[in-house]
Amino acid sequence: MTRRAAVKSIVLTGGTWNGLSLAQDAPRGPASTRDGAPADLEQFERNAIRAKRAGITHVLITEHFPPALWQFDVAGDPYPAWYIYQPGLLKIFPPASLQHYVNPQYAETVAEIFKARCGILRRHGLKAAYSTNEPQVIAEAFFADHPELRGPRVEQPNRSRAARFSPCVDRPEVLALYSESMQQLLKRCPEVEIFSFLTSDSGAGLCWAPSLYPGSNGPAYCQGHSMQERVIGFLSTLHEAAKESGHTIQADLVEIAPRQWMSPTFDRPQSIARSLPAGMAVDHFEGPDGHRVRVRRFSGGDGEFAPVLGIPRPLGWLGALSSGQGTLGSKLVMSFDDRQNLELSFRILERFQDRPSSTRLQTLSSLHEVAAETAGKASADDQLELWLALDDAERYLGTLNFGPVLIMGCVLGRWITRPFVPFPSELRHEETEFFRPFLFQAKGEEEAGDLVDIQGMRMYEGWGARLLVQNIIEKVTANTARALALAQRIGDTAGPDRIKWELLEQRIGTLQCFVRTVVNSVKYQAGLDRVKALKIAPQQDPVLGARSGWDREDLLNIARNEIDNAAELRRLLETAKEPLVDTAPVAREETMRRLGPALPAQIKRKIDVMNAHWEDYKRLFTAPNL
C-alpha cells in the first residue's frame, strides 16, 4: 500500500432501504444461525464426529454466520444482498491498512466463529474448507483514498443503484493485501486447507473479464494483461502466502457457470492451470498438470426446493458428489447446510463410500437398502418411491431455473408475502411496508409492481410463459402429491416414528404451497397484463342478465386461489414443531435474499390486503348483473 487511509469508513453506519434501517454494528451477543439459535458449537462438534465416521476429511466452516448488513451503504440499493453472506478474505481477515474500510467488530465476530469451528475440527483430526467470492467488492471509501487500486465494476446494472468495484489484482499492492489476509486467516484458522472462490458474480470479478455484468471493464493499467497472467498472479500470491506461513493449501477459482446469454470468464482454463503451482486450480483444472481437481464435495442441501427446509433429495446429493470436480480423490468436503437431513445424508454417504455405484440400477439398489434402514423393510419400496417422486419434482422445477425459481420469485420477488392486486402502485404505505423493503428491485415503482419483473429479468412474462409455467408446475405438483401420499402411507404404519413422517408431510405441503404461489404469480400477471392492454372500459351500468366474462373469472379465481394457498401455508408454519422454511433468526437480519421470522404474520397481511381490494376489479371488468 502506498499510504494508510486517514478516513474512517462511511459504511459502518449501514443505510436504509425505503425507510427500513439496515445498519449493523457488531452483532450483539452470540452469533446467530439460520435456525434462530445461538451459534451451536456443540451441535457442530456432534456433526463433525459423525462426519469423521462417514469418511469426511474436510468440513466447510463458512456457512451459518451473521450477514454483513453494514455493506448496505447506499440507500435504496439492494445489490449488496448478493455478497453480505460471502465471507471475503479482505472483509473477515482485513489487513491493517484496510481496517478503516470494513466493520472490524463484525470481522472479529465472524473470524471467531470460524476459529472456534476449526478448533473443534482439530480435536477430531479433521481439516476445514473455506468458500467465498473473490476478488470481492471493497467499500467505495477505500477507492476514493486509493484510486490507483480500483479494479472492475462488478455489479449487475439492472439490479443495482450504485456502481460497485472489486480491487485490481494486477496491482502488487492489492496482492500484498491478499497475502496478508491469507496469513491472518491461516494464523487463526490453521485447519483450513481447501479454498473455493467464485468469481464473475455476486460482487466479485476480475479486471477485463468478458463475463462481467457491466461488460468487460477495468483500469487502463492492466488492459493489456492476459487473463492467464492475472489468474496466475492472484492464485500464486495466495499459494506463496500460505507457504510462508508453513501451510499447504488448495484453491479453486471458479467462474459462475455461464448461461446461454452469458460469456465465460476463462476461455482456456486448462491451459491457465498448467502454469499454476500444485494445488492451485481454475475452473476445476489444477496445476501444474491441468488435471481435474481431486476433491469431492458432499452436501445434503435443499437444491431447487430452497427455501423450504428438510425435504430429502438423495439422488441430488449423490449427483453432486459424483459430478464436476468430484473425480475420485482422497479429500471429501462436507457441508452441514441441511441440518434437518444430516443423519440420512450421512447414512447414504457411508453406503456409497463402501459401495460406489456406476449405474443407476446400482444406485437405486443401494438407496433401497438405506430406505429399509430408515423406514423399515415393509416400507422400503414406498420410501424409495417417495425419493424418486421428489427427484422427479425437482428436475421439472429445475426447468424454470433462471436462478432457482422458488428463490428468485418467492424470496427475491417476495411472491410469498406480497399481495396480488390489480393496481399495486395505489397501495398505501401500510399495505406495502411488510414486503416492499425486501423486494429485490433496483428500478422504479412500475417495475416493482410487476410480479414477473425479477431483478430486471422478465423470463416468465406473457401468456405463452403462463402456459409453459402452468404445464411444468402441473408435473411438479403431480410428483409432490405422489410423495405426500407415500409419506402418509408410511406414517400410518410407523408407530412411534409417526411424528417424523408427519413432519415430512408438513414439509412437502409447504413445498406445494410455494409451488402454487409460483404458478399463481405468473398466471395473475399474464392475465392482468392482457386485460390492461385491451383497454376496454367496463360498463358502469350493465344490463340485467350481464354475465361475468371468462377473463374476469380467471383473474379473480387466481387471486382467490392464492389467498387460500397463503392461508394454508400460514397454518402449516404456525402448527409445525420444527422449521419448515429458511428464515432469518431475528427481524433485523431479514434481507432481500432471506425471508424473516415474521413470515406467518406477513402472509396474514398479504391475505388482508388482497381481501380489502376486491372492489378494484370493477375498474377492469364489467361486473355481472344477474
Side-chain angles (χ1 to χ4, degrees):
M1 291 288 294
T2 56
R3 62 188 176 93
R4 182 167 180 171
V7 180
K8 291 195 174 181
S9 174
I10 61 171
V11 302
L12 296 184
T13 57
T16 61
W17 171 253
N18 282 8
L20 174 73
S21 173
L22 293 171
Q24 173 178 322
D25 296 321
R28 294 178 175 84
S32 58
T33 64
R34 83 174 187 182
D35 56 13
D40 191 346
L41 293 179
E42 291 182 2
Q43 183 62 52
F44 185 87
E45 184 157 24
R46 287 193 292 270
N47 293 342
I49 293 170
R50 187 70 176 83
K52 177 79 171 182
R53 196 163 80 236
I56 303 298
T57 61
H58 294 70
V59 171
L60 186 66
I61 61 169
T62 48
E63 54 189 3
H64 307 302
F65 61 93
L69 298 182
W70 56 271
Q71 289 190 290
F72 283 109
D73 57 341
V74 174
D77 183 20
Y79 199 71
W82 281 115
Y83 48 85
I84 61 172
Y85 299 99
Q86 295 292 339
L89 302 184
L90 303 182
K91 181 167 73 181
I92 307 302
F93 299 93
S97 53
L98 266 179
Q99 287 285 339
H100 291 306
Y101 304 100
V102 300
N103 184 321
Q105 295 170 307
Y106 172 83
E108 180 64 20
T109 296
V110 176
E112 279 297 305
I113 293 172
F114 296 163
K115 177 181 176 182
R117 291 172 180 173
C118 283
I120 290 170
L121 298 179
R122 183 187 316 128
R123 289 201 296 272
H124 298 287
L126 291 165
K127 295 293 185 178
Y130 196 107
S131 179
T132 188
N133 292 2
E134 292 293 354
Q136 195 178 122
V137 163
I138 296 182
E140 178 59 25
F142 172 79
F143 295 123
D145 288 345
H146 305 281
E148 72 282 6
L149 304 185
R150 187 186 297 271
R153 282 185 65 173
V154 292
E155 87 284 356
Q156 215 281 7
N158 285 287
R159 305 172 191 177
S160 179
R161 291 184 175 178
R164 305 285 179 176
F165 295 84
S166 66
C168 174
V169 296
D170 289 55
R171 287 282 187 180
E173 301 98 319
V174 170
L175 293 178
L177 292 175
Y178 274 102
S179 178
E180 185 178 343
S181 179
M182 175 61 73
Q183 291 180 342
Q184 280 194 37
L185 187 159
L186 294 174
K187 181 177 181 180
R188 299 184 70 167
C189 303
E191 283 65 41
V192 178
E193 276 191 346
I194 295 175
F195 291 86
S196 179
F197 301 128
L198 178 69
T199 196
S200 301
D201 188 45
S202 301
L206 296 160
C207 295
W208 301 107
S211 55
L212 292 170
Y213 292 131
S216 180
N217 77 96
Y221 166 80
C222 63
Q223 187 170 8
H225 297 183
S226 69
M227 185 59 71
Q228 179 164 332
E229 292 176 282
R230 189 167 293 120
V231 170
I232 291 170
F234 180 60
L235 291 178
S236 296
T237 293
L238 299 178
H239 177 267
E240 288 303 310
K243 186 177 179 180
E244 290 173 8
S245 299
H247 295 269
T248 301
I249 63 170
Q250 287 183 256
D252 193 3
L253 180 65
V254 183
E255 67 181 4
I256 179 177
R259 307 295 286 265
Q260 298 94 325
W261 59 88
M262 298 166 63
S263 300
T265 300
F266 311 112
D267 59 352
R268 293 184 299 165
Q270 192 169 21
S271 176
I272 297 175
R274 292 193 177 103
S275 299
L276 291 174
M280 299 292 105
V282 56
D283 261 3
H284 313 314
F285 291 103
E286 188 176 63
D289 53 17
H291 291 163
R292 296 288 286 182
V293 172
R294 291 179 291 276
V295 172
R296 292 180 296 161
R297 304 181 189 280
F298 187 81
S299 170
D302 302 308
E304 296 288 339
F305 297 150
V308 180
L309 297 174
I311 296 182
R313 308 168 44 252
L315 279 86
W317 302 339
L318 291 170
L321 179 65
S322 61
S323 67
Q325 66 269 40
T327 50
L328 297 176
S330 59
K331 293 179 178 175
L332 181 57
V333 177
M334 179 76 183
S335 165
F336 295 153
D337 188 50
D338 182 1
R339 301 180 176 189
Q340 288 74 25
N341 280 306
L342 268 178
E343 179 55 34
L344 174 61
S345 61
F346 280 134
R347 281 177 181 256
I348 290 171
L349 176 60
E350 288 169 338
R351 180 66 51 127
F352 282 80
Q353 288 276 78
D354 295 338
R355 194 192 314 163
S357 301
S358 58
T359 68
R360 185 170 175 85
L361 180 60
Q362 291 173 338
T363 297
L364 295 179
S365 176
S366 294
L367 281 177
H368 189 272
E369 294 174 7
V370 176
E373 295 172 2
T374 57
K377 291 183 178 180
S379 296
D381 289 354
D382 283 346
Q383 172 74 96
L384 182 57
E385 284 297 323
L386 188 158
W387 289 340
L388 290 172
L390 292 173
D391 185 62
D392 287 342
E394 183 173 37
R395 283 191 297 105
Y396 282 120
L397 196 60
T399 62
L400 297 176
N401 187 320
F402 290 81
V405 65
L406 299 189
I407 293 293
M408 298 298 282
C410 294
V411 180
L412 276 61
R414 278 309 193 266
W415 289 347
I416 210 69
T417 55
R418 66 194 292 191
F420 298 2
V421 294
F423 301 99
S425 63
E426 297 178 9
L427 292 177
R428 303 184 307 277
H429 173 71
E430 57 268 27
E431 295 176 309
T432 64
E433 62 181 351
F434 62 98
F435 73 89
R436 182 63 182 92
F438 308 108
L439 185 61
F440 205 126
Q441 177 55 253
K443 294 188 174 181
E445 290 306 306
E446 181 179 352
E447 291 87 354
D450 189 326
L451 287 166
V452 298
D453 191 317
I454 301 172
Q455 292 197 114
M457 297 187 288
R458 305 183 69 86
M459 57 279 200
Y460 308 122
E461 182 179 35
W463 203 264
R466 165 181 167 150
L467 295 177
L468 178 61
V469 170
Q470 186 171 349
N471 180 269
I472 292 170
I473 293 301
E474 284 173 357
K475 294 177 173 62
V476 175
T477 301
N479 281 288
T480 56
R482 183 159 61 101
L484 182 59
L486 288 164
Q488 291 169 339
R489 188 159 75 184
I490 297 170
D492 288 343
T493 60
D497 287 339
R498 168 67 185 163
I499 189 170
K500 177 180 73 173
W501 296 99
E502 287 178 347
L503 179 59
L504 181 57
E505 291 170 29
Q506 290 175 315
R507 286 171 171 159
I508 296 173
T510 300
L511 175 62
Q512 290 179 317
C513 289
F514 271 72
V515 167
R516 278 193 292 269
T517 289
V518 167
V519 72
N520 285 341
S521 300
V522 176
K523 288 169 63 178
Y524 187 88
Q525 191 65 52
L528 190 61
D529 288 345
R530 177 187 172 277
V531 170
K532 289 184 175 180
L534 291 174
K535 298 181 179 179
I536 298 175
Q539 298 177 36
Q540 297 305 311
D541 297 300
V543 299
L544 186 63
R547 296 183 177 275
S548 177
W550 72 268
D551 44 4
R552 176 183 179 275
E553 291 182 358
D554 177 69
L555 197 62
L556 269 67
N557 284 335
I558 295 169
R560 176 56 192 269
N561 183 283
E562 181 59 18
I563 288 173
D564 294 343
N565 182 52
E568 171 62 9
L569 176 58
R570 179 171 175 253
R571 182 193 68 80
L572 286 165
L573 295 174
E574 290 184 333
T575 58
K577 293 182 172 57
E578 293 193 29
L580 303 179
V581 175
D582 175 37
T583 59
V586 292
R588 66 194 295 270
E589 291 186 11
E590 180 177 2
T591 68
M592 299 82 179
R593 286 187 57 205
R594 198 171 187 196
L595 297 168
L599 181 58
Q602 292 170 342
I603 293 172
K604 174 64 163 59
R605 294 183 71 179
K606 167 181 177 169
I607 294 170
D608 291 343
V609 172
M610 290 181 69
N611 278 325
H613 286 269
W614 284 116
E615 288 296 290
D616 291 358
Y617 292 95
K618 289 181 178 178
R619 294 159 57 190
L620 291 177
F621 304 101
T622 298
N625 188 13
L626 298 174

